Amino acid sequence: MKTIALITLSLAAHFCALCQFPAVIPNYTAVDAADLQPIDSFIKKQTCVLAYKEEGGFCHDCPTYSYKIISYNNRQWSSCTFSNYSIRGTFNKKTKVVVTDTVRTGTWYKAKFKLHHREVQQLFDSLTAIHFWSLHNDSLNQIRKIIRRIYNGDTAYINAGVIDDMNYRFDIVFKNKRRMIRSYAPEYFVSLFPDMTDRKIFLQAREIFLRWWDKYGK
């Protein structure tokens, strides 16, 4: 049994070195897996994937989800984008223009763009340096109370919260393990509670990723 375990660990270490991903601890639930369905068929064809997703917010014509994906397969790193859209507009019925409130939805896909190994390593090293990979979703989505009012010396509290803000999520996916790191409205909560260190790290990681994507992800 010890020999099998050592071989398994050796293969895992070789795999992580091959695709340059840091080791991560799986934390997926059934709900997390279901949320990846729009890109699940794509992910299953890859050796490992880092997917960044933005969703939510209040906008009639904005995508309800948008994925920026870095994937590794056949010894090649690549980037691609998946998003869906909803459009409210007009259509022609014979010679009359009819305005409709219905929504047309669809999917937009940007084909894969090849990446160099050192470009991907640069991103992973930057995220490792700020201890991003070990962030916990409980602390990233912690709720605290704020004062609602003070009346006759009595203080009433409510949970801090905001509606229609953005949800940001990273998925780290291997063939046999998956980890999700997510935070809802991180800027809002950090503005109220500057001591929320994990949310600050998450925001820093998001900025590192998006700057890198603008340069290399195409």
Side-chain angles (χ1 to χ4, degrees), residues 64-101:
T64 54
Y65 66 77
S66 178
Y67 292 94
K68 291 178 172 61
I69 300 172
I70 302 169
S71 61
Y72 182 84
N73 199 29
N74 296 325
R75 297 183 177 272
Q76 176 64 57
W77 283 102
S78 303
S79 65
C80 63
T81 303
F82 282 90
S83 66
N84 74 344
Y85 58 86
S86 59
I87 300 174
R88 299 176 185 271
T90 62
F91 66 94
N92 292 321
K93 189 174 181 180
K94 296 183 179 179
T95 58
K96 183 179 180 181
V97 175
V98 179
V99 179
T100 176
D101 289 329

Side-chain angles (χ1 to χ4, degrees), residues 159-177:
N159 288 332
V162 59
I163 299 174
D164 291 328
D165 209 314
M166 295 293 293
N167 189 56
Y168 304 96
R169 167 173 168 164
F170 289 90
D171 287 271
I172 304 101
V173 182
F174 295 90
K175 291 291 187 183
N176 60 347
K177 63 180 179 179

